[in-house]
Amino acid sequence: MRFHSLPESKRYAENESEYTVALERYNTILDELFAGADVYVITPLWTTEAEVPSFQPDAGYWQSLLVEDDPDPEFRTYCHLSAARRPWRRGCIDELLRDIADDKVAGVLITDTRMQRIHHPYDGGADVFFATSEERDRMRDRHADWLSSHPSGL
């Protein structure tokens, strides 16, 4: 299910009050998914090098994926993933969410430790994968005004 982070499907915040709305929406959905649980915050780093880059101390290296195996090494693409486990609490990743909203960071996933629910924030909103269709429908009904009015739901 796709939730938009600003009214009328606006993509980027232009002032602090709009950032407040975007962070409130991100955190509301995240609270409903993960309150009282630990989460993994998975962050990708894209490079043309197979060598694992250094990660921040609180975000441990998880794995690397060869995404594009081009015969020319200059065009090979690797995705190095870090995964930080932390107890979910509202606001604990606001700095990261703000960077995502500004399209400074992309590809982040927030998931429960069993990976049954996934929250994928992006500039303009978040795609959310639920454990059950009933859970999805309840969330859709609670936040209907955060959904796209486009027939495809995008």
Side-chain angles (χ1 to χ4, degrees):
M1 170 143 309
R2 179 165 286 181
F3 295 98
H4 290 180
S5 56
L6 290 169
E8 299 176 14
S9 302
K10 184 175 180 180
R11 190 156 191 171
Y12 296 103
E14 294 178 17
N15 55 53
E16 285 306 311
S17 66
E18 289 181 343
Y19 280 110
T20 299
V21 170
L23 289 172
E24 174 66 24
R25 287 186 181 193
Y26 284 135
N27 278 294
T28 296
I29 299 296
L30 288 161
D31 274 350
E32 291 180 27
L33 292 170
F34 306 123
D38 280 3
V39 297
Y40 288 119
V41 179
I42 303 167
T43 307
L45 179 60
W46 299 85
T47 71
T48 57
E49 303 293 324
E51 183 178 324
V52 176
S54 61
F55 286 95
Q56 295 177 352
D58 66 335
Y61 170 71
W62 179 25
Q63 67 177 316
S64 295
L65 307 168
L66 175 59
V67 178
E68 184 65 44
D69 190 11
D70 195 285
D72 184 341
E74 289 187 31
F75 295 103
R76 284 192 191 121
T77 305
Y78 297 86
C79 180
H80 306 282
L81 299 169
S82 70
R85 184 174 178 156
R86 63 178 56 197
W88 173 255
R89 70 181 198 322
R90 184 179 202 89
C92 71
I93 60 170
D94 277 1
E95 185 177 329
L96 177 61
L97 291 171
R98 190 173 172 127
D99 283 347
I100 291 166
D102 284 338
D103 200 24
K104 293 179 184 174
V105 177
V108 171
L109 300 173
I110 300 105
T111 180
D112 60 283
T113 58
R114 293 175 50 203
M115 296 190 174
Q116 292 183 314
R117 294 173 184 88
I118 300 170
H119 184 275
H120 172 60
Y122 60 88
D123 56 312
D127 291 336
V128 180
F129 300 87
F130 298 94
T132 66
S133 56
E134 293 80 18
E135 182 181 34
R136 178 203 62 212
D137 293 347
R138 284 191 305 272
M139 189 81 80
R140 178 197 63 214
D141 294 345
R142 265 194 309 276
H143 305 292
D145 55 332
W146 297 357
L147 304 175
S148 172
S149 59
H150 191 276
S152 70
L154 303 177

